Amino acid sequence: MAKIPAGVGPERPQVVVLVGATGDLAKRKLLPGLFRLATIGFIPGCRIVGVSLDNLTPEAFRKLAREALAAFSTRKVEDSEWKAFGDCLDYVPLSAGPGAVKAAVERAEQAFNGEGDRLHHLSVPPNAALSAIRMLGEADLVSRARIIMEKPFGTDLASAISLNAKLHEVFDEDRIFRIDHFLGKEPAQNILAFRFANGLFEPIWNRNFIDHVQIDVPETLGLDGRSAFYESTGAYRDMVVTHLFQILAFVAMEPPTSLAPAPISDEKNKVFRCMLPIEPGDVVRGQYNGYRSEKGVAPESDTETFIALKCSIDTWRWAGVPFYLRTGKRLAEGQRIISIAFREPPKSMFPVDSGVGAQGPDHLTFDLADSSKMSLSFYGKRPGPGMRLDKLSLQFAMHDTGYEGDVLEAYERLILDAMRGDHTLFTTAEGIERLWEVSVPLLKAPPPVRLYAPGSWGPNAIHQLIAPNAWRLPFERAWRDPNTVGA
C-alpha cells in the first residue's frame, strides 16, 4: 500500500456515530466511503456505531452494510477487507435510548490504544435533526466530538437562526460541519488552485475582463420518492442556497491570506455579505408538466422544480458583473458547470464574414463532474487563404494526469476533513444566515411558476433573463473524449 501523505487523515482513532444508518444516503455514500477510507489507511483506527429507527441487531446491520458495499462501493470488496471492516460495525436502535448509544460508543473506544475522537454524522431528515442532537447530548457524547449536518440548514432566515441557536446549545460552532457535497468534489477545489496558484488568471479575474458568470446544474432525475421533502423545499431551498451559492463564493472570493480554513471561510462570508438581495424580477421559477400528478404532491402545488436567477456581488471586483444560476429537475441533460464569459474586444478589424463573434465570447469552463475537466475557448484562424475564424478550445481532463484513481469521492473527502477539524469546505452559521437574509425578497414574493416540458431546458423565460447573452448549456460542442487518439 502506498504511503499516506501527512495531514490527509486524522491523527487519532475515530468512532463514527452514524445516525440514520439504514437510510439511502448511508447505504449509497457513507458506508462505502467509510469502508474505502478505513481500508486504504486514511483513518488510524475506525469503529462505526449505526443508529436508526429500524429495530435491527448488530448482525443484521452488518448484513445491510455488506449489501450496500456490494451495490455501491467504487472498488472490489475483498473478503479479508470486509471481515476487518465488518468487525468494526455495531448497531443500536433509537428505541434503546441514549444510554445504549453511549454504551456502544464506549465499547468501540475500548478497542483503541489510547483516546480517540468522535464524529457524529446526522443522515436524517431535517425534522429529525434536532431530536438526534438532543439524544447525543443526553448520551453525554459531546466531548471530543464533531458533528456533520446534512442540508437543508433551515428553510428561511427565521428557521436558520432558530436551528443554529438550538445547535449551539449542545455543540460549539467550531465542532459543527454543515456539509455540502458539491464543495467536496475535486473540481470545486481545483477552482482555488486554478485562481491562486497561477499568475496568468487571477489578474484578469475581475469586472474589467469578465462579462458574466454562469453556474449551471441541470438534472435529468425527478423526485425519486422524495415528494414530501421536495414539496416543503423546492429547487431554490434545495439546491441554490446550499449548493450553487457555495460554488459562487469560491469563484468570487478575494485571495485568502492562506489556504487555512479560517481565512477561506472569512473570504467566503465576505462574498455573502456583499451579495445584493435576490429580487423576484430577476428570477424564473418553473415546474415540469406532470409534477402535480406525482404521489404526495398537492394538486395545486406552487413548488418550483426549476429555478434560474441573476444575482450581483456589490464589490469593486465584481460591480456590474451578473452571476446567472440555473438548476432543475427533469431537464434535458445532467451537467454541473461553471462558465466564465470574458469580455469581447472593444473593436474588431476582421471582415464582416470572418466569423468573429459568431459563437459568442471566449469562455473558461469548469466541469464539476467527479472526473474534473476544464476548457478554454477562443477564436483562431481557419487554415487556408482568407481570414476565416473558428471557435477552438484548449481542454484538460483529470484523465490526462494519470491521477484519476486517486480522486476521493466528495463524501470521502468531507468526512476526512471533518475528522481533522478542517472547515475549509463547510458552511458557517454566519454564512448560511446571510444567504437566507438575501433570499427574503424572493421568498416573500416569489414569481409564479411557469410550466416546462420534461426533457427541455426549462421555461422559455430563461432566455429573456440572460439576454443579450445566451446560456452555455447545451454546449455547441461536446467535450473531447480523452480516449480518442489525437483528441
Side-chain angles (χ1 to χ4, degrees):
M1 181 181 298
K3 183 179 179 181
I4 304 302
V8 172
E11 295 180 356
R12 288 153 50 108
Q14 304 284 317
V15 173
V16 180
V17 178
L18 188 52
V19 184
T22 60
D24 189 63
L25 177 62
K27 289 187 283 190
R28 287 178 175 273
K29 296 293 185 181
L30 305 184
L31 287 168
L34 287 165
F35 168 76
R36 184 185 180 200
L37 294 176
T39 300
I40 63 181
F42 279 119
I43 309 173
C46 180
R47 318 268 316 173
I48 299 168
V49 177
V51 180
S52 81
L53 292 171
D54 294 299
N55 191 23
L56 300 180
T57 63
E59 291 74 20
F61 178 60
R62 292 186 189 104
K63 181 175 183 293
L64 177 149
R66 184 67 182 88
E67 292 171 351
L69 295 184
F72 302 112
S73 176
T74 57
R75 62 195 297 274
K76 187 176 185 298
V77 181
E78 302 292 345
D79 289 341
S80 59
E81 294 174 338
W82 161 249
K83 184 179 187 312
F85 185 73
D87 288 345
C88 295
L89 300 179
D90 199 355
Y91 183 84
V92 180
L94 271 172
S95 59
V101 177
K102 180 179 182 180
V105 170
E106 290 176 342
R107 283 196 305 272
E109 290 176 332
Q110 289 170 6
F112 299 150
N113 292 321
E115 194 174 65
D117 290 327
R118 301 159 178 170
L119 179 70
H120 309 310
H121 194 132
L122 303 191
S123 177
V124 295
N127 58 4
L130 287 177
S131 61
I133 290 165
R134 285 193 293 269
M135 180 273 292
L136 293 171
E138 292 169 5
D140 193 24
L141 294 175
V142 176
S143 64
R144 295 182 284 110
R146 300 182 177 98
I147 184 167
I148 293 179
M149 298 283 297
E150 292 284 342
K151 71 176 181 73
F153 315 115
T155 55
D156 54 22
L157 180 58
S159 62
I161 292 173
S162 175
L163 174 62
N164 285 328
K166 291 174 181 175
L167 274 174
H168 293 155
E169 291 175 2
V170 183
F171 290 92
D172 292 337
E173 177 64 20
D174 66 350
R175 313 301 288 184
I176 301 170
F177 293 78
R178 298 169 186 84
I179 198 167
D180 173 12
H181 71 273
F182 271 47
L183 293 189
K185 293 179 177 295
E186 201 73 37
Q189 299 163 56
N190 209 18
I191 296 170
L192 297 180
F194 191 87
R195 286 189 59 188
F196 303 130
N198 299 295
L200 176 61
F201 293 100
E202 184 57 24
I204 63 171
W205 209 263
N206 57 60
R207 60 187 174 85
N208 296 320
F209 298 94
I210 292 177
D211 183 78
H212 66 277
V213 178
Q214 296 181 35
I215 302 174
D216 208 351
V217 186
E219 297 181 296
T220 58
L221 298 175
L223 299 184
D224 285 341
R226 300 165 68 230
S227 58
F229 166 77
Y230 212 78
E231 271 287 90
S232 64
T233 54
Y236 184 78
R237 291 178 170 92
D238 182 41
M239 289 291 293
V240 176
V241 175
T242 45
H243 292 323
L244 273 63
F245 281 159
Q246 303 301 322
I247 294 293
L248 181 152
F250 268 21
V251 174
M253 64 191 282
E254 295 297 320
T257 55
S258 75
L259 285 181
I264 290 179
S265 291
D266 288 345
E267 295 303 334
K268 286 173 57 184
N269 286 339
K270 286 179 186 176
V271 173
F272 300 147
R273 287 197 294 269
C274 294
M275 284 179 63
L276 297 178
I278 307 300
E279 298 297 336
D282 292 330
V283 178
V284 175
R285 296 169 70 236
Q287 186 184 91
Y288 65 78
N289 287 317
Y291 172 78
R292 295 174 183 176
S293 301
E294 300 268 9
K295 184 179 179 180
V297 174
E300 303 298 324
S301 174
D302 189 49
T303 299
E304 79 278 358
T305 62
F306 170 96
I307 191 153
L309 62 117
K310 178 174 70 174
C311 61
S312 301
I313 302 170
D314 193 20
T315 64
W316 187 282
R317 181 186 292 262
W318 296 113
V321 178
F323 286 72
Y324 298 101
L325 282 58
R326 175 173 65 170
T327 187
K329 300 287 188 184
R330 302 287 301 275
L331 295 176
E333 295 179 22
Q335 294 274 1
R336 296 171 179 177
I337 71 157
I338 303 166
S339 194
I340 315 292
F342 292 100
R343 294 192 182 278
E344 298 191 63
K347 181 175 175 58
S348 175
M349 71 288 292
F350 294 94
V352 174
D353 61 352
S354 67
V356 68
Q359 296 187 48
D362 300 336
H363 286 87
L364 174 64
T365 302
F366 297 85
D367 186 339
L368 297 182
D370 287 329
S371 293
S372 177
K373 290 183 287 191
M374 289 186 291
S375 172
L376 178 62
S377 67
F378 56 92
Y379 284 99
K381 182 184 179 299
R382 184 185 301 176
M387 184 58 74
R388 292 287 298 167
L389 303 181
D390 288 327
K391 205 61 175 290
L392 309 173
S393 68
L394 298 172
Q395 295 190 9
F396 159 82
M398 186 63 70
H399 177 91
D400 300 331
T401 67
Y403 294 131
E404 195 170 27
D406 294 340
V407 173
L408 290 178
E409 198 275 333
Y411 269 101
E412 295 169 356
R413 169 63 188 263
L414 293 169
I415 288 170
L416 272 185
D417 283 355
M419 287 178 173
R420 295 190 300 116
D422 185 338
H423 277 87
T424 301
L425 302 176
F426 295 87
T427 305
T428 65
E430 176 191 346
I432 200 68
E433 289 176 16
R434 173 57 184 165
L435 290 175
W436 285 120
E437 185 179 8
V438 302
S439 303
V440 167
L442 172 61
L443 298 181
K444 277 188 174 180
V449 294
R450 303 167 183 259
L451 297 179
Y452 65 94
S456 70
W457 286 97
N460 287 332
I462 62 172
H463 303 297
Q464 286 75 50
L465 176 70
I466 202 171
N469 304 304
W471 291 99
R472 188 85 169 105
L473 290 176
F475 284 130
E476 71 275 8
R477 66 177 65 77
W479 290 97
R480 293 194 190 108
D481 183 350
N483 297 309
T484 301
V485 176

